[in-house]
Amino acid sequence: MTQPTTVRPQRPGDTPGPGQDRPDPADGRPPGGQTAVPCWFLRGGTSRGPFFRAGDLPAATGDRDAVLLSVMGSPDPRQIDGIGGAHPLTSKAGIVDRSERDGVDLEFLFCQLQPDNDTVDTTPNCGNMLAAVVPFAVESGLLVPRGDTTTARVLTLNTGLTADITVSTPLGGDGRRHVAYGGDARIDGVPGTAAPVTINFLDTAGSVCASLLPTGHVRDRVEVAGVGQVDVTCIDNGQPLVIVEAAALGRTGYESAAALNTDDELKARVEDLRLTCGELMGLGDVSAKNYPKMTLVAPAAHGGTISTRSFIPRVCHESIGVLAAVTAATACVLEGTVAHQVVTAASPGTAGRGATPAADHTDAASGTPAAAAAVDLTVSVEHPSGEFSVQLGLDPADRTRVTKSALLRTARLIMAGAAMVPDRLAGPLPHGPGRTDTPLPPTGTASPEKEQR
């Protein structure tokens, strides 16, 4: 059994250990011109980054963002002066707070940073980082485990997305419950196995856009420079996506992520398409935004439902984001979409499980049509590193309405301690310097994004 890993990082003013200098009594900070900010570094799904309790960061947005940029080492392509991994997938951060809202346990603010610029984008979702929120909350003392498994309702402040997240919290030898990280669950894109993290999204349609189909159509035809007219599906079931058949852009859809990232001609076409579709989706000028994401689709090649290559938004993902997978899977079961056409046009031997449209789906156990039996479907979304299975529930009275989006991820605590940032950036911490205890942060301190929701 995995042993407890709960760590309470030292704060400025805590009693130092052997050989450590004592804090400067003048302001409560350690000497050296830096401030220690409590920080837990976790992997969530196929992403990773530092997590912070909201009460441990400056309250003002500008000050908060300055701390995050310093921690990650941005802007710098190598992020050499921080803990970022020189890639968008490893330039992410999470901020978590306890919630005072009825029926909500935790509030999560996802922060997307970039290696080579100084922006902190809090408008998109990230389902992979979401998988680490409950483990982080237990580790940091924001959430008390409730049994052998602990389920918490998490509100993502970025878009208002709500999910029930369940993690394993067995009883340890010390009589306390802890997050279990060891287990048999495997997800493509992450080596080895780990304990499962189950995410059940409660209402994902129109997470950023006005609705599931923000243009009002399952398919739109747009002009792409150097290509001509191209059919796309603009859809948002947790992540705004533009879905386009790879063949329409002159590619197979089976290229490696590395090959696509060096394909400047394709990337120019994809970006041109993204800017046009952003306007169509009611998102305005998206040139400086991280959404909509672009997803190239092709018939499944390895027994799944559909093959994907996802851009985030200008770099090809080594796998696919959680919410991008949910949205792509949704497009597969909505009749008339580009994804649905690719799935249904594929030969039975290629299309694989979940490839038939929902209206024609047959329950394997009973042999009865799905309309008369279950409306739950499993869609296998192939990506460069493997596949991602998404469970969808459809309203039997309206199959354009998704009632459930569930999936499995894993997470792991990698490191706990304190991130050091220059004093000039940290400014006065919300609770003041020189504390000698480790109280939990009060609620209501997350961010301006919290007030907007």
Side-chain angles (χ1 to χ4, degrees):
M1 178 180 292
T2 304
Q3 292 302 306
T5 55
T6 301
V7 178
R8 295 296 182 108
Q10 246 190 2
R11 296 169 180 256
D14 284 354
T15 302
Q20 292 179 307
D21 292 328
R22 293 190 173 274
D24 182 347
D27 63 4
R29 292 191 170 116
Q34 298 196 100
T35 295
V37 181
C39 173
W40 288 254
F41 197 77
L42 291 98
R43 175 185 61 79
T46 55
S47 296
R48 63 171 170 80
F51 278 74
F52 303 90
R53 297 182 295 201
D56 292 329
L57 291 173
T61 302
D63 293 340
R64 177 199 71 193
D65 290 354
V67 169
L68 295 178
L69 288 164
S70 176
V71 169
M72 300 304 289
S74 293
D76 173 59
R78 296 183 299 161
Q79 292 178 316
I80 194 66
D81 202 35
I83 61 175
H87 191 281
L89 292 180
T90 51
S91 298
K92 301 180 176 185
I95 303 172
V96 182
D97 199 1
R98 291 176 294 171
S99 181
E100 293 179 323
R101 303 172 198 257
D102 290 340
V104 178
D105 299 298
L106 299 166
E107 297 182 358
F108 166 54
L109 184 69
F110 167 63
C111 302
Q112 177 69 66
L113 292 87
Q114 299 292 338
D116 55 358
N117 66 46
D118 61 357
T119 61
V120 178
D121 191 356
T122 59
T123 56
N125 288 324
C126 180
N128 275 303
M129 290 287 277
L130 180 64
V133 169
V134 173
F136 163 75
V138 173
E139 296 288 358
S140 63
L142 288 174
L143 183 69
V144 177
R146 299 164 184 166
D148 289 340
T149 61
T150 295
T151 299
R153 182 158 292 180
V154 179
L155 170 66
T156 299
L157 294 171
N158 306 63
T159 62
L161 181 77
T162 305
D164 286 340
I165 303 175
T166 301
V167 301
S168 177
T169 50
L171 197 64
D174 60 355
R176 295 186 302 164
R177 294 195 177 276
H178 60 277
V179 178
Y181 295 104
D184 298 326
R186 183 187 302 276
I187 61 173
D188 289 330
V190 177
T193 63
V197 176
T198 303
I199 305 177
N200 184 12
F201 296 105
L202 303 182
D203 183 12
T204 50
S207 66
V208 175
C209 301
S211 63
L212 176 69
L213 298 169
T215 70
H217 309 107
V218 292
R219 181 191 295 255
D220 293 279
R221 183 160 292 174
V222 297
E223 188 78 22
V224 178
V227 176
Q229 292 189 330
V230 174
D231 283 355
V232 300
T233 290
C234 300
I235 184 170
D236 177 4
N237 194 27
Q239 182 76 260
L241 287 192
V242 176
I243 296 178
V244 58
E245 190 171 2
L249 297 180
R251 301 299 182 270
T252 66
Y254 308 120
E255 294 87 355
S256 69
L260 293 177
N261 280 327
T262 59
D263 189 339
D264 292 336
E265 180 183 66
L266 174 68
K267 289 167 67 176
R269 291 175 180 175
V270 168
E271 181 65 7
D272 181 56
L273 187 59
R274 191 178 81 88
L275 296 177
T276 301
C277 291
E279 296 282 355
L280 289 177
M281 298 170 78
L283 300 173
D285 180 4
V286 297
S287 57
K289 296 177 181 177
N290 287 304
Y291 57 81
K293 312 292 193 203
M294 306 299 295
T295 302
L296 278 58
V297 296
H302 304 289
T305 304
I306 197 166
S307 179
T308 63
R309 295 295 184 267
S310 181
F311 286 79
I312 52 171
R314 301 174 186 88
V315 175
C316 185
H317 204 309
E318 296 289 344
S319 55
I320 189 170
V322 168
L323 292 162
V326 169
T327 302
T330 302
C332 289
V333 301
L334 295 182
E335 188 171 353
T337 67
V338 170
H340 181 270
Q341 176 182 319
V342 168
V343 168
T344 55
S347 65
T350 302
R353 60 192 174 95
T356 53
D360 300 328
H361 181 72
T362 298
D363 182 84
S366 65
T368 59
V375 293
D376 285 349
L377 300 172
T378 297
V379 179
S380 174
V381 180
E382 296 180 1
H383 55 75
S385 301
E387 74 87 35
F388 195 131
S389 292
V390 179
Q391 295 178 346
L392 295 175
L394 303 181
D395 185 342
D398 178 7
R399 288 183 179 274
T400 65
R401 179 172 174 265
V402 178
T403 59
K404 180 185 76 172
S405 306
L407 45 89
L408 180 145
R409 296 275 84 188
T410 64
R412 187 171 79 87
L413 176 67
I414 297 173
M415 184 171 61
M420 307 303 296
V421 299
D423 284 348
R424 71 180 187 280
L425 298 180
L429 293 175
H431 308 293
R435 286 186 301 189
T436 57
D437 57 1
T438 55
L440 302 181
T443 59
T445 60
S447 63
E449 289 84 359
K450 179 173 182 175
E451 299 306 317
Q452 293 169 8
R453 291 285 166 190

